[in-house]
Amino acid sequence: MKAIVLEAADKPLVYKEVDKPTLQPGEALVKIKAAALNRRDYWITVGKYAGIKYPTILGSDGAGIVAEVGSDDDKRWLNKEVVIDPASGWGDNPNFQSDNFKILGLPADGTFAEYVKVPVENLHAKPTHLNWEQAAAIPLAGITTYRALFTKGKAVKGSKVLVTGVGGGTGAFALQLAVAAGCQVFVTSGSGDKLDRAKHLGAAAGVNYKAQDWAEQLAQLSGGFDVIIDSALGDGFAKLVDLCNPGGRIVIFGGTAGNIPELNGRKIFWRQIQILGTMMGNPDDFKGMLALVNEHQIIPAIDEVFPLNEANAAVKKLEHSSQFGKIVLRT
């Protein structure tokens, strides 16, 4: 089969012929129709991710058709259109992942290929209202933001929600999920164009975080937030505490702007604010996310679709964070 292979750090991805995976009982072979990029794919390509091995096939997000199964017990999946839950080995505790937790695309070979091998339990029916590219854009951003918003953040209908950095795949999807759940959603971005696009997806208002008074603008517009979803951290994080309503939750799942600065802990305990960490999600989070997507016919925002053999161009675009929504590869 053809696949995109990472052979070394800081080297271009290679489009080449590799062996098609062989199956064990409990596994399925999915013929990939489309795969989507995530920020972790970029960090792996530049050698800044834990546990990197070479060669490896990247890609956590994918949608396709089940071509083979490893045992007769799973034949019901043959020829079914599916999306893939990229997380496995979560463990028994719903609150945190086990030591056996893995994400598709490293260490296991991922979806940037004509075929991918996954556990049968990670297969889910593709939402019928989505095309292949849209379905492929859902998994990692969907499970991460669903858990951040609802499992950890406890967002409900009527909650005031702030999504920072709305332009990326997780930011755009967090906006869409929160709007679908009946929340009033505000956003930040460094791009006026991205703020306008966020409003078209249902954002009540948006503020450019490059403005010196961005936090003051948000406070005036919203009156404070019940849930804040942040994947940046950095120097601006302290202002998120000020923007939280009493009893509010700040949920974090990334750190693209650096570490959290010194915080005034008195503001946090006096106003009963919670700062919660999260990463990916468990099987129930994935099922809950798909149910919300199906119920509200959510269509994820896609910035651009590239052919599989142009994966280097796709990663380059991801590097510059110029996209709004997901970047997708079509096989």
Side-chain angles (χ1 to χ4, degrees):
M1 68 175 186
K2 292 289 189 180
I4 297 295
V5 181
L6 177 67
E7 297 183 329
D10 288 323
K11 293 287 182 67
L13 298 167
V14 180
Y15 182 62
K16 62 187 292 187
E17 196 81 24
V18 300
D19 292 336
K20 192 165 73 171
T22 57
L23 301 180
Q24 299 294 323
E27 295 177 335
L29 190 70
V30 178
K31 182 175 176 59
I32 292 294
K33 292 291 189 177
L37 277 72
N38 291 284
R39 181 61 55 178
R40 77 186 296 262
D41 297 309
Y42 166 72
W43 291 120
I44 294 169
T45 63
V46 296
K48 295 181 179 179
Y49 200 88
I52 298 177
K53 67 177 182 69
Y54 305 106
T56 193
I57 299 172
L58 301 182
S60 304
D61 285 339
I65 298 172
V66 179
E68 300 176 24
V69 292
S71 60
D72 289 343
D73 292 341
D74 297 317
K75 281 188 173 180
R76 68 189 183 280
W77 282 105
L78 285 173
N79 301 314
K80 293 292 178 63
E81 297 184 351
V82 297
V83 293
I84 300 166
D85 180 351
S88 61
W90 181 273
D92 297 329
N93 194 316
N95 296 310
F96 59 90
Q97 68 273 23
S98 75
D99 292 340
N100 296 320
F101 179 74
K102 295 180 178 64
I103 304 172
L104 189 63
L106 186 77
D109 284 339
T111 57
F112 294 177
E114 291 181 313
Y115 294 90
V116 66
K117 177 176 71 172
V118 296
V120 169
E121 63 189 14
N122 287 49
L123 301 176
H124 295 266
K126 180 181 80 69
T128 56
H129 69 284
L130 300 180
N131 63 30
W132 289 116
E133 291 79 15
Q134 293 162 349
I138 288 176
L140 193 146
I143 191 174
T144 300
T145 54
Y146 180 91
R147 182 175 178 84
L149 283 165
F150 307 114
T151 306
K152 292 279 193 166
K154 307 297 182 185
V156 295
K157 184 177 181 179
S159 294
K160 286 186 181 179
V161 174
L162 171 63
V163 176
T164 67
V166 73
T170 53
F173 210 72
L175 165 63
Q176 292 180 280
L177 289 178
V179 168
C183 302
Q184 187 180 18
V185 189
F186 298 76
V187 299
T188 69
S189 174
S191 161
D193 179 63
K194 291 181 181 181
L195 292 174
D196 289 339
R197 294 183 68 175
K199 290 173 186 175
H200 285 298
L201 290 178
V207 168
N208 192 317
Y209 60 68
K210 294 179 181 178
Q212 189 171 358
D213 64 342
W214 66 268
E216 290 77 8
Q217 290 183 50
L218 281 172
Q220 187 173 13
L221 287 167
S222 69
F225 297 101
D226 305 308
V227 181
I228 297 175
I229 305 298
D230 179 64
S231 61
L233 308 183
D235 292 340
F237 188 85
K239 294 184 178 181
L240 299 184
V241 174
D242 295 331
L243 287 168
C244 244
N245 289 329
R249 283 82 62 200
I250 304 173
V251 187
I252 58 175
F253 56 85
T256 55
N259 291 326
I260 296 175
E262 182 177 314
L263 298 176
N264 184 345
R266 297 170 184 83
K267 292 181 180 180
I268 297 170
F269 71 70
W270 183 255
R271 291 163 58 214
Q272 305 271 351
I273 291 169
Q274 299 177 62
I275 300 176
L276 303 159
T278 189
M279 187 191 77
M280 295 289 289
N282 61 38
D284 287 339
D285 293 318
F286 196 85
K287 292 173 185 174
M289 179 272 294
L290 272 185
L292 193 61
V293 167
N294 280 310
E295 179 185 356
H296 294 277
Q297 301 284 284
I298 296 171
I299 299 175
I302 293 176
D303 183 90
E304 190 170 356
V305 178
F306 292 82
L308 181 63
N309 61 0
E310 294 182 14
N312 282 301
V315 171
K316 195 71 175 176
K317 183 163 189 175
L318 190 68
E319 176 186 2
H320 296 296
S321 299
S322 60
Q323 80 280 6
F324 185 93
K326 297 287 283 188
I327 298 171
V328 178
L329 299 175
R330 182 190 295 120
T331 58

